[in-house]
Amino acid sequence: MADSEAPAPSPDDGARLQREQRWAEAVAAYRVAARSGLTVSLAANLGYCLGEMGEFAEAEHWLQLAVKHRAGSADLRQRLGAIYSAQDKVDLAEIEYRTALALKPDSDVAKLSLASILLSVGRYAEGWPLLEARTRLHAHVVPRANAAWQEWTGEPLEGRSVFIQVEQGLGDQIQMIRFARLLKARGAGRVTAGCRGPLAPLFLTAPGVDATVALDAGTRAQLERPDLWTHYFTLPWRLGVGANDLWAGPYLSAPEDRKARWRPDARIGLAWQASPTGFNGRNKSLPPELARRLLDRGAISLQPEDTGVADMADTAAIIDGLDLVISIDTSIAHLAGAMGKPTWTLLPRLKTDWRWLRGRTDSPWYPTMRLYRQQTAGEWAPLVDRVMADLDAGFA
């Protein structure tokens, strides 16, 4: 007896594949299911999955169709805004995010999305307050300090001690530790930086930092009660940071005792692999064969598993001896930029972070940095070709 035909994929099959982030298979399942009857949910899910694949034009079509039939859905308006944002249709994205927020004023997703679009075009005064939504939406990576402590809300400091509470990843903390000096300029008496363990020795080189406390996940540390506490990414809001307040020269350096231990035998360093558990990790990393092209060109790997470093102070000592750092969007790019080292940073097309702004090849956060932007989602080879050509033009 002949085998019976396999049943056609159902919307449930598509939803399962979507949860597993098998985007192309989910799209195929949804397309088949849609032939039997297109629903708003099917259109929305098609749009979402296509967006995750970088197929923005078609994703926009399906999400516009879903919104046309359910204009009062804050979730759909937010999703459509994300597709507009991915295509640099900033004005349209802002409209959708603001509409989503008007429909659902307590939506931290809409607030954080609106913050990202505003910050990505340098509208910092509007964006920083909205970024506070992260503390509620992502409390697992933005934990609050001791509930008995007083949070700083921008009042005069006048010699009071301030604790900066750890949040998010290593690169995020490196980017924001620059503002410790502004706390001192406001009159803070003692500034203690809570940070991930690998950053603790390094952050003692940051202007304005008096002490560091290693706070890794699942660990506890004894800390004298501060007068006030704040988060890293709350600092620019409370300090009133604008576009002209981002750079005051290099603010991190390799401790002197580390430099003698780490003397690179190359001029160029390469960081090419992101943490798979970090934000957008799967889209940020270079394929091994493309990283090999740069390593064969004379770069040395800066990946911790290759260097054998104990912490970021060791990595800073290696970077100190290099002429150039080439890095994907990871903590090493932030470290090299914070040290004032010439840095070429390779950015993905999908979910490019707001901090790199839009359409720029430079960064006001790190003036010694050059940005290389992927033009088509997932296609790194043309970008590496550009880097190789620039190396040939500027490096022996």
Side-chain angles (χ1 to χ4, degrees), residues 164-166 173 193-197 199-201 203 212-216 232:
I164 307 173
Q165 167 69 327
V166 66
Q173 293 162 59
C195 58
R196 298 305 180 199
L199 294 173
F203 277 10
T212 60
V213 177
L215 294 172
D216 289 309
Y232 279 86

Side-chain angles (χ1 to χ4, degrees), residues 126-372:
E126 299 170 86
W128 295 133
L130 289 164
L131 194 63
E132 291 302 291
R134 79 195 187 285
T135 65
R136 298 178 296 273
L137 196 62
H138 302 300
H140 60 296
V141 292
V142 192
R144 291 185 61 80
N146 189 313
W149 297 352
Q150 180 181 346
E151 186 172 4
W152 183 49
T153 58
E155 64 268 28
L157 294 171
E158 299 174 342
R160 302 167 86 183
S161 60
V162 180
F163 172 67
I164 307 173
Q165 167 69 327
V166 66
E167 69 164 295
Q168 301 188 64
L170 301 184
D172 301 299
Q173 293 162 59
I174 290 171
Q175 181 185 5
M176 291 294 162
I177 196 61
R178 72 183 66 213
F179 295 125
R181 66 179 181 84
L182 294 185
L183 288 174
K184 284 287 193 177
R186 290 284 189 93
R190 180 176 177 83
V191 174
T192 300
C195 58
R196 298 305 180 199
L199 294 173
L202 176 70
F203 277 10
L204 289 174
T205 72
V209 173
D210 297 299
T212 60
V213 177
L215 294 172
D216 289 309
T219 64
R220 291 179 176 273
Q222 289 296 112
L223 180 65
E224 183 179 345
R225 178 173 180 157
D227 295 317
L228 300 162
W229 74 274
T230 187
H231 279 118
Y232 279 86
F233 276 81
T234 300
L235 280 170
W237 175 34
R238 298 306 190 188
L239 290 165
V241 168
N244 296 323
D245 305 312
L246 300 180
W247 182 254
Y251 58 91
L252 291 176
S253 59
E256 289 298 325
D257 65 323
R258 306 293 183 102
K259 293 180 183 179
R261 277 192 266 161
W262 300 95
R263 296 184 183 277
D265 57 0
R267 297 176 61 195
I268 304 168
L270 173 68
W272 55 278
Q273 190 72 35
S275 168
T277 60
F279 170 73
N280 208 26
R282 66 164 58 198
N283 294 315
K284 292 195 294 189
S285 296
L286 277 181
E289 65 274 13
L290 294 180
R292 175 50 55 188
R293 289 181 60 191
L294 294 166
L295 294 170
D296 289 345
R297 174 63 174 70
I300 59 169
S301 174
L302 294 177
Q303 299 296 133
E305 60 269 25
D306 295 328
T307 60
V309 298
D311 54 33
M312 293 298 279
D314 281 347
T315 299
I318 297 174
I319 291 173
D320 184 77
L322 298 171
D323 294 334
L324 172 69
V325 170
I326 301 172
S327 178
I328 59 169
D329 181 4
T330 191
S331 59
I332 288 175
H334 287 280
L335 174 57
M339 294 174 66
K341 184 67 61 173
T343 308
W344 295 358
T345 301
L346 318 183
L347 302 177
R349 180 71 179 85
L350 278 172
K351 300 181 182 178
T352 309
D353 199 275
W354 60 260
R355 75 193 78 203
W356 306 120
L357 302 176
R358 292 176 181 268
R360 295 178 61 150
T361 58
D362 68 327
S363 171
W365 292 90
Y366 305 112
T368 59
M369 184 176 287
R370 181 189 302 179
L371 303 178
Y372 290 78

